[in-house]
Protein backbone atom coordinates (compact mmCIF):
# COMPACT_ATOMS: atom_id res chain seq x y z
CA UNK A 1 0.00 0.00 0.00
CA UNK A 2 1.27 3.45 -0.94
CA UNK A 3 1.26 6.43 1.38
CA UNK A 4 2.77 9.86 1.50
CA UNK A 5 4.96 9.99 4.56
CA UNK A 6 5.06 13.53 5.91
CA UNK A 7 7.83 13.16 8.43
CA UNK A 8 8.41 16.83 9.24
CA UNK A 9 11.49 18.58 10.56
CA UNK A 10 11.87 16.85 13.93
CA UNK A 11 12.18 13.40 12.43
CA UNK A 12 15.29 14.54 10.59
CA UNK A 13 16.85 15.80 13.83
CA UNK A 14 15.84 15.19 17.44
CA UNK A 15 13.34 12.52 16.41
CA UNK A 16 15.70 10.73 13.99
CA UNK A 17 15.28 7.36 15.74
CA UNK A 18 11.59 7.49 14.87
CA UNK A 19 12.18 7.85 11.13
CA UNK A 20 15.12 5.43 10.98
CA UNK A 21 13.04 2.69 12.67
CA UNK A 22 9.71 3.53 11.04
CA UNK A 23 10.81 3.00 7.46
CA UNK A 24 12.14 -0.59 7.64
CA UNK A 25 9.54 -1.80 10.16
CA UNK A 26 6.58 -0.46 8.19
CA UNK A 27 8.02 -1.47 4.84
CA UNK A 28 8.34 -5.01 6.22
CA UNK A 29 4.54 -4.90 6.57
CA UNK A 30 4.07 -3.97 2.94
CA UNK A 31 3.77 -0.22 3.28
CA UNK A 32 5.39 1.92 0.60
CA UNK A 33 6.27 5.54 1.31
CA UNK A 34 6.51 8.53 -0.98
CA UNK A 35 7.83 11.95 0.03
CA UNK A 36 5.74 15.07 -0.56
CA UNK A 37 7.89 17.01 -3.03
CA UNK A 38 9.50 20.09 -1.43
CA UNK A 39 7.28 19.94 1.67
CA UNK A 40 7.32 22.75 4.22
CA UNK A 41 7.10 22.67 8.01
CA UNK A 42 3.61 22.45 9.52
CA UNK A 43 4.22 25.27 12.00
CA UNK A 44 3.67 22.97 14.99
CA UNK A 45 1.61 24.13 17.95
CA UNK A 46 3.53 27.28 18.88
CA UNK A 47 3.46 29.30 15.66
CA UNK A 48 0.39 31.29 16.65
CA UNK A 49 2.75 33.65 18.46
CA UNK A 50 4.03 34.77 15.07
CA UNK A 51 1.33 33.90 12.59
CA UNK A 52 -2.38 34.32 12.08
CA UNK A 53 -4.61 31.29 11.94
CA UNK A 54 -5.10 31.47 8.18
CA UNK A 55 -1.35 31.56 7.43
CA UNK A 56 -0.80 28.39 9.48
CA UNK A 57 -3.66 26.73 7.61
CA UNK A 58 -2.23 27.79 4.27
CA UNK A 59 1.21 26.39 5.16
CA UNK A 60 -0.42 23.02 5.79
CA UNK A 61 -2.70 23.21 2.79
CA UNK A 62 0.35 23.72 0.55
CA UNK A 63 1.64 20.27 1.54
CA UNK A 64 -1.79 18.74 1.04
CA UNK A 65 -2.21 20.39 -2.38
CA UNK A 66 1.14 19.04 -3.56
CA UNK A 67 0.31 15.54 -2.30
CA UNK A 68 -3.11 15.65 -3.94
CA UNK A 69 -1.59 16.62 -7.28
CA UNK A 70 1.06 13.92 -6.98
CA UNK A 71 -1.33 11.00 -6.64
CA UNK A 72 -3.57 11.65 -3.67
CA UNK A 73 -2.47 8.77 -1.48
CA UNK A 74 -3.27 9.02 2.23
CA UNK A 75 -0.85 11.29 4.06
CA UNK A 76 0.72 9.62 7.08
CA UNK A 77 2.21 11.91 9.71
CA UNK A 78 4.21 10.26 12.48
CA UNK A 79 4.77 13.50 14.43
CA UNK A 80 1.68 14.30 16.52
CA UNK A 81 2.01 18.00 15.89
CA UNK A 82 2.23 17.54 12.15
CA UNK A 83 -0.71 15.17 12.30
CA UNK A 84 -2.90 17.53 14.24
CA UNK A 85 -2.03 20.56 12.13
CA UNK A 86 -2.80 18.77 8.87
CA UNK A 87 -5.88 16.92 9.98
CA UNK A 88 -7.28 20.08 11.51
CA UNK A 89 -7.04 22.13 8.36
CA UNK A 90 -8.35 19.19 6.36
CA UNK A 91 -11.37 18.83 8.65
CA UNK A 92 -12.16 22.52 8.72
CA UNK A 93 -11.87 22.82 4.95
CA UNK A 94 -14.26 19.93 4.42
CA UNK A 95 -16.81 21.54 6.74
CA UNK A 96 -16.45 25.07 5.46
CA UNK A 97 -16.35 25.72 1.71
CA UNK A 98 -15.64 29.42 2.32
CA UNK A 99 -12.47 28.52 4.16
CA UNK A 100 -11.40 26.24 1.32
CA UNK A 101 -11.94 29.08 -1.09
CA UNK A 102 -9.92 31.49 1.06
CA UNK A 103 -7.10 28.97 1.37
CA UNK A 104 -7.12 28.49 -2.38
CA UNK A 105 -6.90 32.21 -3.02
CA UNK A 106 -3.62 32.08 -1.07
CA UNK A 107 -2.35 28.87 -2.67
CA UNK A 108 -3.00 30.40 -6.09
CA UNK A 109 -0.13 32.81 -5.37
CA UNK A 110 2.06 29.78 -5.98
CA UNK A 111 -0.06 28.17 -8.68
CA UNK A 112 -1.49 25.50 -6.34
CA UNK A 113 -5.03 24.41 -5.60
CA UNK A 114 -6.35 22.02 -2.97
CA UNK A 115 -9.61 20.19 -3.62
CA UNK A 116 -9.94 18.70 -0.17
CA UNK A 117 -9.83 15.08 -1.28
CA UNK A 118 -7.00 13.75 0.86
CA UNK A 119 -7.07 11.74 4.05
CA UNK A 120 -4.61 12.58 6.80
CA UNK A 121 -3.75 9.59 8.96
CA UNK A 122 -1.74 8.92 12.08
CA UNK A 123 0.84 6.16 11.90
CA UNK A 124 -1.01 4.24 14.65
CA UNK A 125 -4.22 4.46 12.62
CA UNK A 126 -2.58 2.96 9.56
CA UNK A 127 -0.86 0.19 11.51
CA UNK A 128 -4.03 -0.74 13.35
CA UNK A 129 -6.66 -0.32 10.64
CA UNK A 130 -4.87 -0.87 7.32
CA UNK A 131 -2.28 -3.45 8.34
CA UNK A 132 -3.99 -4.92 11.41
CA UNK A 133 -2.72 -6.70 14.48
CA UNK A 134 -2.94 -10.14 12.86
CA UNK A 135 -0.54 -9.25 10.09
CA UNK A 136 1.79 -7.63 12.61
CA UNK A 137 1.73 -10.75 14.79
CA UNK A 138 2.61 -12.89 11.76
CA UNK A 139 5.69 -10.80 11.11
CA UNK A 140 7.00 -11.06 14.69
CA UNK A 141 10.13 -13.20 14.94
CA UNK A 142 11.31 -12.20 18.41
CA UNK A 143 8.23 -11.61 20.58
CA UNK A 144 8.84 -9.01 23.28
CA UNK A 145 7.46 -11.37 25.92
CA UNK A 146 7.89 -10.20 29.46
CA UNK A 147 8.68 -6.63 28.44
CA UNK A 148 6.51 -4.27 30.46
CA UNK A 149 5.85 -1.17 28.41
CA UNK A 150 3.85 1.95 29.24
CA UNK A 151 2.33 3.04 25.95
CA UNK A 152 2.24 6.81 26.27
CA UNK A 153 -0.32 8.30 23.92
CA UNK A 154 -0.07 11.94 24.96
CA UNK A 155 -2.65 14.28 23.64
CA UNK A 156 -2.34 15.39 20.04
CA UNK A 157 -2.10 11.91 18.55
CA UNK A 158 -5.74 11.08 19.32
CA UNK A 159 -7.36 14.40 20.07
CA UNK A 160 -9.48 16.22 19.12
CA UNK A 161 -11.35 14.21 16.49
CA UNK A 162 -10.88 10.65 17.71
CA UNK A 163 -10.52 9.54 14.10
CA UNK A 164 -9.23 6.08 14.91
CA UNK A 165 -9.21 5.73 18.69
CA UNK A 166 -11.09 6.91 21.75
CA UNK A 167 -10.08 10.38 22.91
CA UNK A 168 -10.65 9.43 26.55
CA UNK A 169 -9.58 5.80 26.68
CA UNK A 170 -7.28 5.11 23.76
CA UNK A 171 -6.38 1.44 23.20
CA UNK A 172 -4.68 1.32 19.81
CA UNK A 173 -1.10 1.71 21.00
CA UNK A 174 -1.59 -0.98 23.65
CA UNK A 175 -3.06 -3.38 21.08
CA UNK A 176 -0.06 -2.78 18.83
CA UNK A 177 2.37 -3.34 21.71
CA UNK A 178 0.57 -6.57 22.56
CA UNK A 179 0.79 -7.69 18.93
CA UNK A 180 4.57 -7.43 19.35
CA UNK A 181 4.32 -9.71 22.38
CA UNK A 182 4.94 -6.97 24.96
CA UNK A 183 2.86 -6.40 28.07
CA UNK A 184 1.12 -3.03 27.92
CA UNK A 185 0.74 -1.75 31.47
CA UNK A 186 -2.19 0.55 32.20
CA UNK A 187 -1.35 3.91 33.78
CA UNK A 188 -3.68 6.87 34.33
CA UNK A 189 -1.25 9.48 32.92
CA UNK A 190 -1.39 7.80 29.50
CA UNK A 191 -3.15 10.74 27.89
CA UNK A 192 -1.90 13.54 30.12
CA UNK A 193 -0.07 16.27 28.26
CA UNK A 194 3.71 16.49 28.64
CA UNK A 195 3.89 20.22 27.93
CA UNK A 196 4.33 19.95 24.20
CA UNK A 197 6.18 22.78 22.42
CA UNK A 198 5.81 24.83 25.56
CA UNK A 199 8.25 22.61 27.42
CA UNK A 200 11.40 24.49 26.41
CA UNK A 201 10.24 28.04 27.16
CA UNK A 202 8.20 27.01 30.23
CA UNK A 203 10.46 24.31 31.62
CA UNK A 204 9.94 25.26 35.26
CA UNK A 205 6.24 24.56 34.93
CA UNK A 206 6.34 21.64 32.52
CA UNK A 207 8.90 19.52 34.38
CA UNK A 208 6.19 18.62 36.84
CA UNK A 209 3.96 17.28 34.07
CA UNK A 210 6.75 15.01 32.85
CA UNK A 211 7.65 13.94 36.37
CA UNK A 212 4.06 12.82 36.95
CA UNK A 213 3.98 10.83 33.73
CA UNK A 214 7.30 9.05 34.43
CA UNK A 215 6.36 8.33 38.03
CA UNK A 216 2.98 6.95 37.07
CA UNK A 217 4.44 4.65 34.40
CA UNK A 218 7.05 3.29 36.81
CA UNK A 219 4.57 2.84 39.65
CA UNK A 220 2.52 0.65 37.35
CA UNK A 221 5.46 -1.60 36.64
CA UNK A 222 6.71 -0.29 33.30
CA UNK A 223 10.36 -0.81 32.45
CA UNK A 224 10.23 1.46 29.47
CA UNK A 225 7.89 3.95 27.88
CA UNK A 226 6.89 3.92 24.25
CA UNK A 227 5.72 6.97 22.33
CA UNK A 228 4.56 7.89 18.86
CA UNK A 229 5.50 11.56 18.90
CA UNK A 230 8.95 13.14 18.61
CA UNK A 231 8.04 15.89 21.01
CA UNK A 232 6.72 13.50 23.67
CA UNK A 233 9.94 11.53 23.28
CA UNK A 234 12.14 14.61 23.67
CA UNK A 235 10.26 15.96 26.65
CA UNK A 236 10.13 12.62 28.45
CA UNK A 237 13.70 11.59 27.70
CA UNK A 238 16.23 14.37 27.58
CA UNK A 239 15.36 16.28 30.73
CA UNK A 240 15.28 13.36 33.16
CA UNK A 241 18.59 14.53 34.71
CA UNK A 242 17.22 17.97 35.20
CA UNK A 243 14.04 16.60 36.76
CA UNK A 244 16.12 14.41 39.09
CA UNK A 245 18.17 17.43 40.18
CA UNK A 246 15.05 19.45 40.77
CA UNK A 247 12.84 16.91 42.55
CA UNK A 248 15.43 14.57 44.03
CA UNK A 249 14.07 11.71 41.95
CA UNK A 250 16.10 8.95 40.27
CA UNK A 251 14.55 8.58 36.84
CA UNK A 252 16.50 6.68 34.24
CA UNK A 253 13.67 5.29 32.11
CA UNK A 254 14.32 4.53 28.47
CA UNK A 255 11.89 6.23 26.08
CA UNK A 256 11.45 4.40 22.78
CA UNK A 257 9.31 4.81 19.72
CA UNK A 258 6.72 2.14 19.00
CA UNK A 259 8.47 1.61 15.65
CA UNK A 260 11.77 0.85 17.41
CA UNK A 261 10.02 -1.95 19.27
CA UNK A 262 8.52 -3.16 15.99
CA UNK A 263 11.97 -3.37 14.39
CA UNK A 264 13.26 -5.39 17.36
CA UNK A 265 10.30 -7.77 17.37
CA UNK A 266 10.68 -8.21 13.62
CA UNK A 267 14.23 -9.47 14.25
CA UNK A 268 15.90 -6.50 12.61
CA UNK A 269 19.24 -4.94 13.44
CA UNK A 270 19.29 -3.18 16.83
CA UNK A 271 21.30 -0.27 15.46
CA UNK A 272 20.71 -0.04 11.76
CA UNK A 273 16.94 -0.60 11.92
CA UNK A 274 15.82 -0.18 15.52
CA UNK A 275 18.16 2.84 15.91
CA UNK A 276 18.66 2.10 19.60
CA UNK A 277 22.05 3.85 19.54
CA UNK A 278 20.19 7.15 19.01
CA UNK A 279 18.57 6.93 22.43
CA UNK A 280 20.15 9.01 25.18
CA UNK A 281 18.98 6.57 27.85
CA UNK A 282 19.98 3.16 26.50
CA UNK A 283 17.05 0.74 26.30
CA UNK A 284 19.17 -2.35 25.47
CA UNK A 285 19.47 -3.45 29.11
CA UNK A 286 15.77 -3.78 29.89
CA UNK A 287 15.05 -5.24 26.47
CA UNK A 288 17.70 -7.96 26.78
CA UNK A 289 16.67 -8.68 30.36
CA UNK A 290 13.14 -9.40 29.12
CA UNK A 291 13.67 -11.17 25.81
CA UNK A 292 17.26 -12.37 26.08
CA UNK B 1 -22.15 49.97 26.94
CA UNK B 2 -23.82 46.77 28.14
CA UNK B 3 -25.93 45.17 25.47
CA UNK B 4 -28.75 42.76 26.11
CA UNK B 5 -26.49 39.69 26.10
CA UNK B 6 -24.57 41.02 29.04
CA UNK B 7 -21.48 41.85 27.04
CA UNK B 8 -19.51 45.01 27.39
CA UNK B 9 -19.94 45.83 23.76
CA UNK B 10 -16.65 47.51 23.05
CA UNK B 11 -14.08 44.93 24.16
CA UNK B 12 -16.25 41.90 23.45
CA UNK B 13 -16.92 43.27 19.95
CA UNK B 14 -13.21 43.88 19.47
CA UNK B 15 -12.53 40.22 20.31
CA UNK B 16 -15.32 38.91 18.06
CA UNK B 17 -14.11 41.04 15.17
CA UNK B 18 -10.33 40.84 15.41
CA UNK B 19 -9.34 37.68 17.24
CA UNK B 20 -9.11 34.40 15.33
CA UNK B 21 -11.99 32.20 16.62
CA UNK B 22 -12.94 35.04 19.03
CA UNK B 23 -16.63 34.92 18.14
CA UNK B 24 -16.82 31.28 19.25
CA UNK B 25 -17.08 32.34 22.90
CA UNK B 26 -20.57 33.71 22.35
CA UNK B 27 -21.83 30.20 23.09
CA UNK B 28 -19.90 29.79 26.36
CA UNK B 29 -22.10 28.92 29.35
CA UNK B 30 -19.39 29.37 31.95
CA UNK B 31 -19.40 25.79 33.19
CA UNK B 32 -15.67 25.68 33.89
CA UNK B 33 -14.98 22.29 32.31
CA UNK B 34 -12.24 23.84 30.16
CA UNK B 35 -10.52 25.39 33.15
CA UNK B 36 -10.36 22.03 34.87
CA UNK B 37 -8.71 20.53 31.77
CA UNK B 38 -5.66 22.77 31.52
CA UNK B 39 -2.40 21.00 32.40
CA UNK B 40 -0.84 24.27 33.61
CA UNK B 41 -3.98 25.64 35.27
CA UNK B 42 -2.21 26.10 38.61
CA UNK B 43 0.11 28.59 36.97
CA UNK B 44 -2.60 30.48 35.14
CA UNK B 45 -3.76 33.80 36.49
CA UNK B 46 -7.15 33.33 34.79
CA UNK B 47 -8.11 29.92 33.43
CA UNK B 48 -10.02 29.89 30.10
CA UNK B 49 -13.52 30.10 31.60
CA UNK B 50 -12.55 33.19 33.52
CA UNK B 51 -10.84 34.74 30.51
CA UNK B 52 -14.15 34.46 28.69
CA UNK B 53 -16.07 36.10 31.54
CA UNK B 54 -13.50 38.88 31.65
CA UNK B 55 -14.03 39.47 27.95
CA UNK B 56 -17.76 39.81 28.59
CA UNK B 57 -17.08 42.17 31.45
CA UNK B 58 -14.92 44.31 29.16
CA UNK B 59 -11.69 43.82 31.13
CA UNK B 60 -9.30 44.45 28.25
CA UNK B 61 -6.08 44.91 30.24
CA UNK B 62 -6.67 41.81 32.36
CA UNK B 63 -7.30 39.65 29.32
CA UNK B 64 -4.64 40.86 26.91
CA UNK B 65 -2.07 41.22 29.67
CA UNK B 66 -2.77 37.82 31.23
CA UNK B 67 -0.19 35.05 31.56
CA UNK B 68 -2.73 32.31 30.85
CA UNK B 69 -3.26 33.06 27.19
CA UNK B 70 0.39 32.10 26.60
CA UNK B 71 0.29 29.06 28.90
CA UNK B 72 -1.77 26.84 26.64
CA UNK B 73 0.12 23.64 25.81
CA UNK B 74 -2.22 22.90 22.89
CA UNK B 75 -3.34 19.61 24.43
CA UNK B 76 -6.91 19.80 23.03
CA UNK B 77 -8.43 18.51 26.27
CA UNK B 78 -10.77 21.48 26.50
CA UNK B 79 -11.76 21.12 22.86
CA UNK B 80 -12.79 17.52 23.47
CA UNK B 81 -14.63 18.27 26.71
CA UNK B 82 -16.43 21.57 26.22
CA UNK B 83 -20.18 20.78 26.31
CA UNK B 84 -20.82 23.63 23.87
CA UNK B 85 -18.17 22.44 21.39
CA UNK B 86 -16.25 25.67 21.65
CA UNK B 87 -12.70 25.37 20.26
CA UNK B 88 -11.30 26.83 23.48
CA UNK B 89 -7.70 26.24 22.41
CA UNK B 90 -8.13 28.17 19.18
CA UNK B 91 -9.58 31.09 21.13
CA UNK B 92 -6.61 31.04 23.53
CA UNK B 93 -4.16 30.99 20.61
CA UNK B 94 -6.10 33.73 18.89
CA UNK B 95 -6.02 35.89 22.01
CA UNK B 96 -2.30 35.32 22.48
CA UNK B 97 -1.60 36.26 18.87
CA UNK B 98 -3.73 39.37 19.17
CA UNK B 99 -2.19 40.43 22.49
CA UNK B 100 1.34 40.09 21.09
CA UNK B 101 0.37 42.09 18.02
CA UNK B 102 -0.99 44.78 20.31
CA UNK B 103 2.32 45.00 22.14
CA UNK B 104 1.52 43.02 25.27
CA UNK B 105 4.25 40.61 26.34
CA UNK B 106 2.74 37.84 28.41
CA UNK B 107 5.25 34.99 29.07
CA UNK B 108 8.07 36.55 27.11
CA UNK B 109 10.10 33.37 26.58
CA UNK B 110 7.21 31.37 25.22
CA UNK B 111 6.33 34.30 22.96
CA UNK B 112 9.89 34.58 21.62
CA UNK B 113 10.09 30.86 21.05
CA UNK B 114 6.82 30.77 19.11
CA UNK B 115 7.69 33.83 17.07
CA UNK B 116 11.12 32.48 16.17
CA UNK B 117 9.52 29.16 15.24
CA UNK B 118 7.26 30.87 12.76
CA UNK B 119 10.14 33.04 11.49
CA UNK B 120 11.91 29.85 10.52
CA UNK B 121 8.90 28.55 8.64
CA UNK B 122 8.64 31.87 6.83
CA UNK B 123 12.34 32.33 6.08
CA UNK B 124 13.24 28.80 5.13
CA UNK B 125 10.11 26.67 4.92
CA UNK B 126 11.59 24.31 7.50
CA UNK B 127 12.62 24.49 11.11
CA UNK B 128 16.23 23.95 12.06
CA UNK B 129 16.04 22.86 15.71
CA UNK B 130 19.61 23.85 16.55
CA UNK B 131 19.24 27.27 14.99
CA UNK B 132 15.81 27.69 16.62
CA UNK B 133 17.18 26.96 20.08
CA UNK B 134 20.10 29.34 19.63
CA UNK B 135 17.97 32.17 18.30
CA UNK B 136 15.40 31.71 21.05
CA UNK B 137 18.19 31.75 23.65
CA UNK B 138 19.76 34.92 22.26
CA UNK B 139 16.50 36.77 21.73
CA UNK B 140 16.83 38.09 25.27
CA UNK B 141 20.28 39.58 24.66
CA UNK B 142 23.85 38.32 24.36
CA UNK B 143 24.67 37.43 27.97
CA UNK B 144 21.35 35.77 28.59
CA UNK B 145 22.03 33.73 25.45
CA UNK B 146 25.49 32.67 26.60
CA UNK B 147 24.08 31.66 29.97
CA UNK B 148 21.39 29.53 28.35
CA UNK B 149 23.82 27.91 25.92
CA UNK B 150 26.00 26.86 28.86
CA UNK B 151 23.01 25.72 30.86
CA UNK B 152 21.81 23.43 28.07
CA UNK B 153 25.20 22.40 26.70
CA UNK B 154 24.79 18.89 28.16
CA UNK B 155 21.59 18.29 26.24
CA UNK B 156 23.06 19.65 23.00
CA UNK B 157 26.20 17.54 23.24
CA UNK B 158 24.23 14.38 23.96
CA UNK B 159 21.94 14.98 21.00
CA UNK B 160 24.94 15.46 18.72
CA UNK B 161 26.61 12.30 20.02
CA UNK B 162 23.42 10.32 19.46
CA UNK B 163 23.00 11.69 15.93
CA UNK B 164 19.92 13.65 16.84
CA UNK B 165 21.06 17.11 15.91
CA UNK B 166 21.80 18.30 12.39
CA UNK B 167 25.20 19.91 12.18
CA UNK B 168 24.77 21.26 8.68
CA UNK B 169 22.30 24.16 8.64
CA UNK B 170 18.92 23.40 7.12
CA UNK B 171 18.53 24.74 3.56
CA UNK B 172 15.58 26.71 2.27
CA UNK B 173 12.92 24.70 0.48
CA UNK B 174 12.92 25.18 -3.30
CA UNK B 175 9.54 26.88 -3.32
CA UNK B 176 10.38 29.35 -0.56
CA UNK B 177 9.55 32.48 -2.52
CA UNK B 178 6.11 31.20 -3.53
CA UNK B 179 5.50 29.90 0.00
CA UNK B 180 6.12 33.41 1.29
CA UNK B 181 3.73 34.90 -1.25
CA UNK B 182 1.04 32.47 -0.08
CA UNK B 183 1.67 33.29 3.57
CA UNK B 184 1.70 37.05 2.91
CA UNK B 185 -1.62 36.74 1.15
CA UNK B 186 -3.00 34.75 4.08
CA UNK B 187 -1.95 37.43 6.56
CA UNK B 188 -3.65 40.04 4.38
CA UNK B 189 -6.90 38.10 4.40
CA UNK B 190 -6.75 37.09 8.06
CA UNK B 191 -9.29 38.24 10.57
CA UNK B 192 -7.30 40.73 12.58
CA UNK B 193 -5.73 42.38 9.52
CA UNK B 194 -7.26 45.79 10.18
CA UNK B 195 -5.18 46.17 13.33
CA UNK B 196 -1.77 45.03 12.00
S1 LIG C 1 5.70 19.74 14.06
FE1 LIG C 1 7.73 19.73 14.28
S2 LIG C 1 8.38 18.23 12.92
FE2 LIG C 1 6.34 18.54 12.40
S3 LIG C 1 6.85 19.85 10.62
FE3 LIG C 1 6.47 21.06 12.38
S4 LIG C 1 8.40 21.52 13.21
FE4 LIG C 1 8.54 20.14 11.73
S1 LIG D 1 1.97 14.65 24.92
FE1 LIG D 1 3.10 16.39 24.65
S2 LIG D 1 4.33 16.23 22.80
FE2 LIG D 1 2.97 14.54 22.91
S3 LIG D 1 1.33 15.07 21.70
FE3 LIG D 1 0.79 15.86 23.70
S4 LIG D 1 1.72 17.78 23.95
FE4 LIG D 1 2.45 16.86 22.13
S1 LIG E 1 -16.05 24.32 28.77
FE1 LIG E 1 -16.94 25.48 27.09
S2 LIG E 1 -18.88 26.23 27.87
FE2 LIG E 1 -17.70 25.53 29.64
S3 LIG E 1 -16.68 27.38 30.36
FE3 LIG E 1 -15.28 26.38 28.97
S4 LIG E 1 -15.70 27.29 26.98
FE4 LIG E 1 -17.42 27.81 28.31
S1 LIG F 1 -5.57 23.19 24.82
FE1 LIG F 1 -4.82 24.90 25.99
S2 LIG F 1 -6.62 25.83 26.87
FE2 LIG F 1 -7.19 23.79 26.24
S3 LIG F 1 -6.91 22.50 28.04
FE3 LIG F 1 -5.06 22.38 26.83
S4 LIG F 1 -3.77 23.96 27.71
FE4 LIG F 1 -5.85 24.41 28.40
Amino acid sequence: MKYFLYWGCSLEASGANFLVSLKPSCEALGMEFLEIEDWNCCGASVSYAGAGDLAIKVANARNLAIAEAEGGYDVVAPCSSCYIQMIKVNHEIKEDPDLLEQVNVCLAEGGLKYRGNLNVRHIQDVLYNDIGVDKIKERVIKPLSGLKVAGYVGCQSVRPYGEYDSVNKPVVQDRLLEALGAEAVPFPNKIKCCGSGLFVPEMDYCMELVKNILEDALNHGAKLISTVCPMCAMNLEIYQNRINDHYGTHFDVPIVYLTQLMAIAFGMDMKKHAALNYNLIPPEGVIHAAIG
Amino acid sequence: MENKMGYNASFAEEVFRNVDSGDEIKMCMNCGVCAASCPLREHMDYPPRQIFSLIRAGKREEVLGSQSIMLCTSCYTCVVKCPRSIPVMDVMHGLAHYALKKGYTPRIEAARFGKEFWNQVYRRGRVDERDLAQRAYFAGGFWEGVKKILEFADVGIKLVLHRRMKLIPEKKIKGISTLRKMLDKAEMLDKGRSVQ
Side-chain angles (χ1 to χ4, degrees):
Chain A
M1 268 181 127
K2 275 192 190 171
Y3 301 91
F4 280 109
L5 184 66
Y6 176 72
W7 57 76
C9 322
S10 315
L11 266 69
E12 293 188 346
S14 60
N17 31 348
F18 200 2
L19 189 59
V20 170
S21 59
L22 184 145
K23 282 190 174 164
S25 56
C26 290
E27 281 163 5
L29 296 168
M31 293 168 70
E32 197 183 317
F33 295 124
L34 303 167
E35 180 173 357
I36 299 176
E37 169 70 19
D38 203 38
W39 56 270
N40 57 269
C41 174
C42 69
S45 55
V46 292
S47 284
Y48 63 83
D53 192 44
L54 187 61
I56 299 173
K57 289 197 162 78
V58 167
N60 283 282
R62 177 181 176 273
N63 292 327
L64 294 174
I66 297 171
E68 195 180 50
E70 283 177 356
Y73 307 105
D74 287 3
V75 177
V76 176
C79 167
S80 299
S81 268
C82 301
Y83 170 70
I84 202 76
Q85 291 293 346
M86 291 181 111
I87 199 166
K88 193 165 173 226
V89 67
N90 214 32
H91 246 265
E92 290 177 11
I93 275 172
K94 283 180 187 179
E95 277 174 8
D96 180 357
D98 294 343
L99 176 64
L100 177 59
E101 201 184 302
Q102 240 188 350
V103 164
N104 274 326
V105 167
C106 301
L107 292 180
E109 295 285 313
L112 290 174
K113 183 181 167 81
Y114 182 48
R115 288 175 177 79
N117 291 331
L118 284 190
N119 294 314
V120 177
R121 316 269 309 270
H122 195 272
I123 186 76
Q124 297 188 118
D125 175 9
V126 172
L127 286 170
Y128 190 70
N129 291 311
D130 293 8
I131 306 291
V133 287
D134 292 335
K135 200 161 167 207
I136 294 172
K137 277 185 200 158
E138 272 170 34
R139 185 61 185 74
V140 170
I141 295 170
K142 270 206 261 174
L144 307 178
S145 340
L147 189 61
K148 292 184 172 201
V149 186
Y152 176 60
V153 174
C155 41
Q156 299 177 4
S157 56
V158 286
R159 291 199 280 258
Y161 303 113
E163 290 269 313
Y164 64 95
D165 203 350
S166 157
V167 291
N168 297 316
K169 288 196 171 21
V171 296
V172 166
Q173 191 174 154
D174 284 356
R175 295 295 101 82
L176 294 170
L177 287 167
E178 286 157 8
L180 303 176
E183 183 185 335
V185 303
F187 68 117
N189 273 271
K190 192 179 198 60
I191 56 168
K192 287 272 159 65
C193 177
C194 69
S196 176
L198 222 56
F199 194 98
V200 175
E202 300 291 355
M203 202 171 289
D204 290 345
Y205 293 171
C206 293
M207 279 201 299
E208 194 186 350
L209 304 177
V210 170
K211 172 182 154 278
N212 292 342
I213 295 165
L214 298 174
E215 220 160 50
D216 191 30
L218 292 178
N219 286 344
H220 287 80
K223 295 287 179 248
L224 54 79
I225 299 176
S226 69
T227 80
V228 285
C229 165
M231 230 174 354
C232 303
M234 275 278 271
N235 293 348
L236 294 189
E237 185 187 27
I238 73 175
Y239 306 105
Q240 286 188 27
N241 281 343
R242 211 161 284 266
I243 291 171
N244 289 339
D245 288 347
H246 194 266
Y247 293 100
T249 45
H250 304 281
F251 294 121
D252 192 24
V253 206
I255 310 295
V256 295
Y257 291 103
L258 176 69
T259 50
Q260 292 185 288
L261 295 178
M262 283 167 59
I264 297 169
F266 294 171
M268 296 175 163
D269 192 274
M270 291 280 197
K271 282 189 178 164
K272 198 166 154 229
H273 303 121
L276 294 187
N277 51 322
Y278 286 66
N279 287 48
L280 304 194
I281 301 172
E284 285 91 340
V286 287
I287 291 170
H288 287 308
I291 67 168
Chain B
M1 292 289 264
E2 294 284 316
N3 68 10
K4 59 179 182 305
M5 290 166 76
Y7 288 99
N8 172 311
S10 59
F11 183 53
E13 286 301 332
E14 180 183 348
V15 169
F16 300 160
R17 216 176 27 245
N18 298 330
V19 173
D20 284 324
S21 306
D23 48 346
E24 303 274 0
I25 68 166
K26 286 178 186 168
M27 291 297 291
C28 174
M29 60 179 189
N30 247 287
C31 68
V33 167
C34 54
S37 318
C38 275
L40 296 181
R41 63 187 168 273
E42 287 159 28
H43 305 286
M44 289 182 165
D45 38 7
Y46 310 106
R49 179 196 64 83
Q50 225 176 324
I51 290 279
F52 304 160
S53 334
L54 289 169
I55 293 172
R56 293 176 185 205
K59 306 270 186 202
R60 193 171 189 277
E61 286 304 309
E62 283 85 342
V63 172
L64 298 181
S66 79
Q67 309 282 303
S68 342
I69 53 177
M70 281 302 301
L71 283 175
C72 164
T73 66
S74 313
C75 71
Y76 288 88
T77 317
C78 53
V79 181
V80 172
K81 294 198 170 161
C82 171
R84 288 282 171 90
S85 305
I86 295 168
V88 181
M89 187 196 80
D90 294 336
V91 184
M92 295 288 273
H93 289 186
L95 285 168
H97 180 64
Y98 187 65
L100 290 167
K101 227 162 47 174
K102 285 289 186 185
Y104 292 83
T105 50
R107 308 306 303 171
I108 187 72
E109 292 208 8
R112 280 179 191 146
F113 185 76
K115 278 187 176 170
E116 180 50 35
F117 199 103
W118 181 254
N119 268 340
Q120 301 235 343
V121 179
Y122 188 84
R123 280 206 326 270
R124 170 184 307 120
R126 302 257 169 108
V127 164
D128 183 320
E129 290 176 347
R130 187 178 49 88
D131 188 41
L132 169 66
Q134 275 171 9
R135 282 174 194 271
Y137 292 163
F138 282 100
F142 181 71
W143 290 113
E144 197 181 312
V146 171
K147 209 177 110 222
K148 287 246 164 98
I149 291 267
L150 292 175
E151 197 186 329
F152 290 99
D154 59 325
V155 171
I157 290 166
K158 278 192 218 154
L159 288 174
V160 171
L161 290 176
H162 291 268
R163 305 167 66 177
R164 282 164 63 181
M165 194 185 283
K166 279 190 175 179
L167 296 175
I168 303 160
E170 186 73 63
K171 286 202 291 282
K172 291 187 181 99
I173 62 166
K174 282 183 257 155
I176 186 67
S177 59
T178 53
L179 172 66
R180 284 185 200 157
K181 275 190 211 150
M182 296 175 198
L183 299 177
D184 290 343
K185 185 80 179 180
E187 292 293 10
M188 262 170 56
L189 296 175
D190 202 30
K191 207 174 166 187
R193 68 194 178 282
S194 52
V195 289
Q196 287 283 5

